[in-house]
Amino acid sequence: MGVQKRTRKFAQVKRLIGQRDSRLKKNQLKGEIEGKKKAKGDEIVREIPQVSSSLFFQYNTALVPPYSVLVDTNFLSHSVQHKLELLKTMMDCLYAKCIPIITDCVMAELEKMGQKYRIALQIARDERWERLRCDHKGIYADDCIVDRVIKHKVYIVATNDRDLKRRIRKIPGVPIMSVARGKYVIERLPDAPEK
């Protein structure tokens, strides 16, 4: 004869309202706030940014040789690591004349990096490359490059920076050049040779 289990009878158990019940006042307030947010999201977009007329599908027809290539800090350091000559390898990749362009922000970033990047800085200081003056505050090269590319879609952006690539892919008609497998590769250029 063991101890008998004591179970509660169904009618004797007190019913409780759950925490997520919609009848509670705090949950009603949350429901109203979410309803307002959804209503805001359904509003009609009145202004759509103007797309350049040179864009044909996803490609930019304004890009013609000689190509202007905006060079990033990361791209220069990877070129040094892989022992690639900047201009020659660019021309091999694009089969056309290229003008590497280095902004003041990229130069400032390379100077801040110190001794480890002295060869990349020496390459960037070469007189053959075109220099662009920056009129904004700060020396964050990624923002500078993205702003330039949004204003004028006549550049190819040379970078190995994953975040910068992600930001540039959102801008239609801007090709990206990067260092991969000991050579330069380009994406989103209509006449680009296959890998």
Side-chain angles (χ1 to χ4, degrees):
M1 300 202 94
V3 178
Q4 201 173 19
K5 282 189 178 177
R6 297 180 70 194
T7 56
R8 291 183 178 177
K9 298 284 185 225
F10 178 74
Q12 293 174 345
V13 177
K14 211 176 214 183
R15 292 282 180 186
L16 296 174
I17 296 176
Q19 289 292 320
R20 294 191 179 135
D21 198 309
S22 61
R23 292 174 288 181
L24 289 175
K25 195 166 215 159
K26 65 177 184 179
N27 293 337
Q28 286 176 348
L29 292 173
K30 281 183 186 176
E32 289 173 14
I33 292 169
E34 287 175 11
K36 287 177 184 176
K37 283 182 182 177
K38 285 181 182 177
K40 283 183 183 178
D42 294 339
E43 290 178 5
I44 300 168
V45 178
R46 298 268 182 227
E47 187 180 326
I48 297 170
Q50 187 68 36
V51 178
S52 175
S53 61
S54 64
L55 290 178
F56 180 71
F57 296 118
Q58 67 203 32
Y59 296 124
N60 189 351
T61 56
L63 278 169
V64 290
Y67 295 111
S68 300
V69 184
L70 269 178
V71 180
D72 186 34
T73 316
N74 205 293
F75 186 80
L76 281 169
S77 63
H78 276 269
S79 295
V80 169
Q81 283 174 2
H82 290 280
K83 296 184 174 98
L84 297 171
E85 195 178 321
L86 194 67
L87 188 62
K88 183 181 173 293
T89 320
M90 268 185 198
M91 289 169 81
D92 288 346
C93 175
L94 294 169
Y95 298 135
K97 189 174 190 279
C98 307
I99 303 165
I101 298 172
I102 295 169
T103 62
D104 287 345
C105 295
V106 172
M107 288 298 285
E109 249 185 33
L110 280 167
E111 286 166 2
K112 275 174 74 176
M113 285 181 169
Q115 278 299 108
K116 191 177 178 185
Y117 295 90
R118 68 182 183 281
I119 299 168
L121 181 62
Q122 194 176 356
I123 290 168
R125 283 192 177 135
D126 197 334
E127 274 82 46
R128 293 179 291 175
W129 323 143
E130 195 176 307
R131 288 289 300 275
L132 276 181
R133 298 270 167 249
C134 296
D135 53 355
H136 56 82
K137 291 182 180 177
I139 55 164
Y140 188 54
D142 292 7
D143 290 341
C144 175
I145 288 170
V146 169
D147 288 343
R148 273 193 199 280
V149 165
I150 289 171
K151 286 178 192 167
H152 316 285
K153 290 187 171 77
V154 293
Y155 297 113
I156 295 171
V157 178
T159 184
N160 264 41
D161 188 358
R162 190 176 290 138
D163 294 331
L164 181 58
K165 277 184 181 180
R166 195 175 294 130
R167 284 172 69 182
I168 289 169
R169 282 188 190 113
K170 291 177 185 170
I171 306 165
V174 180
I176 303 167
M177 183 184 284
S178 56
V179 182
R181 299 182 297 278
K183 61 181 181 179
Y184 293 166
V185 292
I186 190 142
E187 59 183 74
R188 287 176 22 177
L189 190 70
D191 306 325
E194 292 301 315
K195 296 168 189 167

